[in-house]
Amino acid sequence: MKIGLLGFGSMGKTHTYCAKNLPFFFSHTPDVCIYGVCTRNIENAKRACEEYSLGFYTSNEDDIIYNSEIDAVDICTPNIYHYETAKKAILAGKHVYCEKPLTVTYAQAEELAALAREKGVKAQIVFNNRFLSAVIRAKELVCEGKIGSILSFNARYLHSSATDVNKNAGWKQNKDICGGGVLFDLGSHALDLIYYLCGEFDSVIGKSQIAYPTRRGMDGGEWQTNADEAFYILARLKNGARGTVEVSKIAVGSNDDLSFEVRGDKGAIRFNLMDLNYLEYYSCDSEQTSFGGTRGFTKIECVNRYSAPAGIFPGIKAPIGWLRGHLGSFHAFCDAVVNDKSVCPSFDDGAYVQKILECAYISDREGREVEIK
């Protein structure tokens, strides 16, 4: 399977790592290679090829998309470019693996999802946190009814990357390139996890925050912040559950703090990415005595206990890391392409999350609760 990679920032490097290391982590792995790489700066593309042995390099994405040798296009470019690139790739008959968020509008995302179905190509969005062992176990517990009917939830994704106003802003802080702010960047992950674990959304109330209206821009000069630095959502799900989603890049003291709690009428689960080898589970069926009995949250050892076709490297008791979620996501896409399986999460899932993002922005702008139809 030959993949054309568009973009070589942190995500381009992450996807390259996955392509080169799949055989260590999965048995019967498809033969995958990064056949070509494209970046806007030709010198960066050349350097990536030389350092990581990636085949040919180019600064023109059409050299990737219309290359007859390439089976799939991997999109790691800024958000505003996803729609046009993915559309060209799908129309060219290429399978597509695209970083989140899928596009900058729901209409664009819906169009891409429909086009992928029409053309019969595999089109997967990168919601890599679904592939962490603790999140997989959380999904199992919910589906097995271990926590009962879901009553409430919360999800938080906190960074401190925008707390220093003297640091140059990155492109993900610029609405003109990102398409949105922290809600697009971190919120897409948090919202997807609630959607994946708890079900579809019914309505949202959103409120944005810009704490630092003036800061250094990408060029180091004074710049007026044009995208949300934090965003807060109060949500209702179709199953009646209520909860909150908070995302921020102005959370002092945080690192890559993605966490969630889901509470039902029979139990609860909770997870924190900074302690990603464990899922905490609370069961109302546990014995309760005057001194507590066995009642309380239990840490489940998820670590590297993946099921086949995942291998046991470096061992089932070995701790996993952040990259393991990306490895699982990348393998799922390659396996779907090579063995003609359905992709998950698909562009349809990406479009659904895009709808929630858009409704949250409408709510913030108009100051009202917005139903998600």
Side-chain angles (χ1 to χ4, degrees), residues 68-91:
S68 61
E69 293 293 314
I70 288 176
D71 304 296
V73 174
D74 185 342
I75 302 174
C76 296
T77 54
N79 307 337
I80 59 171
Y81 304 118
H82 290 184
Y83 168 71
E84 293 292 345
T85 300
K87 185 175 181 178
K88 282 198 296 184
I90 292 170
L91 290 173

Side-chain angles (χ1 to χ4, degrees), residues 265-267 281-298:
D265 57 7
K266 294 182 180 179
Y281 168 56
Y282 182 98
S283 173
C284 294
D285 292 332
S286 298
E287 180 186 17
Q288 187 174 34
T289 67
S290 56
F291 293 103
T294 58
R295 185 71 67 90
F297 274 97
T298 299

Side-chain angles (χ1 to χ4, degrees), residues 222-347:
E222 186 176 284
W223 178 66
Q224 300 302 307
T225 306
N226 65 3
D228 46 289
E229 298 173 322
F231 206 97
Y232 311 89
I233 294 174
L234 177 64
R236 182 178 70 243
L237 304 186
K238 292 191 182 299
N239 59 19
R242 265 75 165 174
T244 60
V245 177
E246 174 189 357
V247 292
S248 176
K249 289 189 176 180
I250 51 173
V252 173
S254 61
N255 289 288
D256 195 28
D257 294 3
L258 170 62
S259 63
F260 64 75
E261 294 186 9
V262 181
R263 301 180 185 275
D265 57 7
K266 294 182 180 179
I269 51 176
R270 64 189 184 192
F271 168 78
N272 191 317
L273 186 62
M274 301 306 290
D275 191 18
L276 81 173
N277 288 281
Y278 297 91
L279 175 70
E280 294 189 80
Y281 168 56
Y282 182 98
S283 173
C284 294
D285 292 332
S286 298
E287 180 186 17
Q288 187 174 34
T289 67
S290 56
F291 293 103
T294 58
R295 185 71 67 90
F297 274 97
T298 299
K299 293 185 74 171
I300 299 175
E301 298 175 342
C302 300
V303 287
N304 203 35
R305 290 173 170 84
Y306 283 92
S307 58
I312 59 172
F313 175 80
I316 62 172
K317 295 180 180 295
I320 65 169
W322 177 85
L323 284 166
R324 191 60 180 77
H326 273 285
L327 279 159
S329 176
F330 197 83
H331 175 269
F333 173 68
C334 295
D335 185 43
V337 171
V338 172
N339 296 304
D340 194 24
K341 299 178 181 178
S342 298
V343 293
C344 185
S346 67
F347 273 21

